Short mmCIF file of all heavy atoms in Angstrom, two decimals:
data_model
loop_
_atom_site.label_atom_id
_atom_site.label_comp_id
_atom_site.label_asym_id
_atom_site.label_seq_id
_atom_site.Cartn_x
_atom_site.Cartn_y
_atom_site.Cartn_z
N TYR A 272 -5.05 25.36 1.00
CA TYR A 272 -4.17 25.01 2.11
C TYR A 272 -4.45 23.63 2.69
O TYR A 272 -3.53 22.83 2.93
CB TYR A 272 -4.30 26.07 3.21
CG TYR A 272 -3.54 25.76 4.48
CD1 TYR A 272 -2.20 26.10 4.61
CD2 TYR A 272 -4.17 25.13 5.55
CE1 TYR A 272 -1.51 25.82 5.77
CE2 TYR A 272 -3.47 24.84 6.71
CZ TYR A 272 -2.14 25.18 6.83
OH TYR A 272 -1.46 24.89 7.97
N GLU A 273 -5.73 23.32 2.94
CA GLU A 273 -6.07 22.13 3.71
C GLU A 273 -5.62 20.82 3.06
O GLU A 273 -5.10 19.94 3.75
CB GLU A 273 -7.58 22.10 4.00
CG GLU A 273 -8.06 23.19 4.95
CD GLU A 273 -7.45 23.09 6.33
OE1 GLU A 273 -6.96 22.01 6.69
OE2 GLU A 273 -7.46 24.10 7.05
N PRO A 274 -5.80 20.61 1.74
CA PRO A 274 -5.32 19.34 1.17
C PRO A 274 -3.81 19.14 1.34
O PRO A 274 -3.36 18.03 1.61
CB PRO A 274 -5.71 19.46 -0.31
CG PRO A 274 -6.88 20.38 -0.31
CD PRO A 274 -6.57 21.39 0.75
N SER A 275 -3.03 20.20 1.18
CA SER A 275 -1.58 20.09 1.37
C SER A 275 -1.24 19.85 2.83
O SER A 275 -0.39 19.01 3.16
CB SER A 275 -0.87 21.35 0.87
OG SER A 275 -0.95 21.44 -0.54
N ALA A 276 -1.93 20.57 3.73
CA ALA A 276 -1.69 20.36 5.16
C ALA A 276 -2.08 18.95 5.58
O ALA A 276 -1.48 18.38 6.50
CB ALA A 276 -2.49 21.39 5.97
N GLY A 277 -3.07 18.35 4.88
CA GLY A 277 -3.49 17.00 5.20
C GLY A 277 -2.44 15.94 4.89
O GLY A 277 -2.53 14.81 5.38
N THR A 278 -1.44 16.30 4.08
CA THR A 278 -0.38 15.33 3.74
C THR A 278 0.84 15.45 4.65
O THR A 278 1.74 14.62 4.60
CB THR A 278 0.10 15.53 2.29
OG1 THR A 278 0.83 16.76 2.17
CG2 THR A 278 -1.08 15.54 1.32
N ILE A 279 0.89 16.49 5.49
CA ILE A 279 2.13 16.77 6.22
C ILE A 279 2.43 15.72 7.29
O ILE A 279 3.59 15.41 7.55
CB ILE A 279 2.09 18.20 6.82
CG1 ILE A 279 3.51 18.71 7.08
CG2 ILE A 279 1.26 18.25 8.08
CD1 ILE A 279 4.30 18.97 5.83
N ALA A 280 1.39 15.16 7.91
CA ALA A 280 1.64 14.14 8.93
C ALA A 280 2.38 12.95 8.34
O ALA A 280 3.30 12.40 8.96
CB ALA A 280 0.32 13.69 9.55
N ARG A 281 1.97 12.55 7.13
CA ARG A 281 2.61 11.39 6.49
C ARG A 281 4.06 11.69 6.14
O ARG A 281 4.86 10.77 5.95
CB ARG A 281 1.81 11.02 5.23
CG ARG A 281 2.30 9.76 4.53
CD ARG A 281 2.13 8.54 5.43
NE ARG A 281 2.74 7.36 4.84
CZ ARG A 281 4.02 7.01 4.97
NH1 ARG A 281 4.84 7.80 5.66
NH2 ARG A 281 4.48 5.91 4.44
N GLN A 282 4.42 12.98 6.04
CA GLN A 282 5.79 13.36 5.71
C GLN A 282 6.68 13.50 6.95
O GLN A 282 7.90 13.63 6.81
CB GLN A 282 5.79 14.68 4.94
CG GLN A 282 5.05 14.62 3.61
CD GLN A 282 5.11 15.92 2.86
OE1 GLN A 282 6.18 16.48 2.64
NE2 GLN A 282 3.94 16.42 2.46
N LEU A 283 6.05 13.50 8.13
CA LEU A 283 6.81 13.77 9.35
C LEU A 283 7.10 12.54 10.19
O LEU A 283 8.18 12.42 10.77
CB LEU A 283 6.07 14.80 10.21
CG LEU A 283 5.94 16.22 9.65
CD1 LEU A 283 5.11 17.08 10.59
CD2 LEU A 283 7.32 16.84 9.44
#
Side-chain angles (χ1 to χ4, degrees):
Y272 174 86
E273 292 298 340
S275 291
T278 70
I279 202 68
R281 185 64 187 86
Q282 298 182 52
L283 293 177

